[in-house]
Amino acid sequence: MPYTGPQSVDRALEMLDAVADAGGPVSAKALARRLECSLSTAYHLLAPLTERGYLVRTAQGYALGPRIPGLQRSLMQHLEPVPRMADVLAGLRRATGAEAYYTAYRGGLITVVDTTAPVTDTGNPFTPGRETRAHATAHGKALLAELPRPVLRRYLAEHGMPRLTRATITCAEVLEAELSRVRGQGFAVSVGEVDPAYTCLAVALPRGREGGRGRDGGAVHALSVSLPTGEFRRRPQEIRAALAQAAAGCG
């Protein structure tokens, strides 16, 4: 029997995620195996996604459809983006030799909006999309430090603080002390807290704050870089200065 109601919506979204996560077109049979459902159910779920343009059916299987770029444009508008951020990221990449990132907090979610890291770089620990490791990343700390304490506590309760490496902070009180230091020094740093091999450095950008510091209605943005820890330790002041200069140019 086909899925109906909210369960059907959930499974359809799960199928859309499966296609998005694949390296290329995916057959209906493969999607049915992925979702552990019958082939007829898979087709039942695929039909509206294809009709609405979220997916397209090719000779090799199902792939993302023409509706997706429109969603990306709408997302960017809702995140109140900093103008010419692509140029800022490229300049920061040239100045530091490190991959640069633009992230945003809005409505209880953190998103990696853009990056200089190529999409083929599967070894990079920070990729565009939803960020669920804010407690361990520099860009996450920079954004969380901008939130009022009740909003911060709600965010941590909803998303948790899983241990990713030995260096990951997993206690809310310890993280709050860390965020206080972030506010005091004006930047956040994460040394091996997501990936033991990487260090990231971030600053919050004073843009798009509707109604004050990071309240649920407005967006908060951050600019960050990540690079191998050994390289960062050889020139921390240079990296920090370049990031600060790039952030100042966004004001």
Side-chain angles (χ1 to χ4, degrees):
M1 180 178 178
Y3 292 96
T4 58
Q7 186 181 17
S8 179
V9 173
D10 186 65
R11 297 311 296 272
L13 291 174
E14 187 178 355
M15 184 160 286
L16 182 60
D17 285 339
V19 175
D21 293 340
V26 191
S27 69
K29 288 183 178 180
L31 290 168
R33 289 195 296 269
R34 170 76 177 269
L35 272 66
E36 298 181 345
C37 65
S38 68
L39 184 58
S40 62
T41 295
Y43 280 121
H44 173 77
L45 297 170
L46 286 164
L49 291 173
T50 304
E51 182 179 349
R52 291 175 177 269
Y54 293 100
L55 297 179
V56 61
R57 187 175 184 178
T58 72
Q60 293 77 36
Y62 289 86
L64 293 180
R67 180 73 179 97
I68 302 302
L71 293 178
Q72 171 66 14
R73 287 192 296 272
S74 296
L75 170 64
M76 291 298 295
Q77 292 173 355
H78 283 281
L79 290 176
E80 307 159 27
V82 174
R84 300 181 300 279
M85 179 51 66
D87 294 336
V88 173
L89 292 176
L92 185 55
R93 176 70 175 83
R94 289 192 297 270
T96 63
E99 301 297 356
Y101 306 84
Y102 173 42
T103 53
Y105 166 93
R106 188 173 189 273
L109 294 176
I110 290 177
T111 304
V112 179
V113 181
D114 199 4
T115 173
T116 59
V119 294
T120 54
D121 185 4
T122 56
N124 193 290
F126 311 109
T127 56
R130 184 175 176 180
E131 176 62 88
T132 59
R133 309 159 299 175
H135 64 293
T137 66
H139 52 252
K141 292 178 188 178
L143 294 169
L144 294 179
E146 296 295 302
L147 304 182
R149 190 170 186 269
V151 179
L152 168 65
R153 281 299 182 120
R154 184 164 65 248
Y155 180 92
L156 297 178
E158 291 175 353
H159 297 275
M161 302 177 63
R163 181 173 298 281
L164 305 172
T165 72
R166 292 183 178 181
T168 305
I169 296 174
T170 58
C171 171
E173 287 74 18
V174 175
L175 180 63
E176 286 193 9
E178 172 80 358
L179 299 182
S180 179
R181 286 190 290 272
V182 169
R183 288 188 290 271
Q185 64 194 12
F187 64 90
V189 64
S190 169
V191 182
E193 295 181 45
V194 172
D195 185 312
Y198 281 85
T199 285
C200 54
L201 190 72
V203 293
L205 303 178
R207 285 275 185 166
R209 300 183 188 185
E210 299 176 355
R213 284 165 37 102
R215 300 190 184 279
D216 285 350
V220 183
H221 306 111
L223 189 63
S224 63
V225 293
S226 74
L227 65 168
T229 296
E231 185 177 345
F232 173 78
R233 287 174 174 164
R234 286 192 292 272
R235 49 194 184 97
Q237 298 302 326
E238 176 188 341
I239 300 294
R240 190 177 303 163
L243 180 61
Q245 183 175 1
C250 295

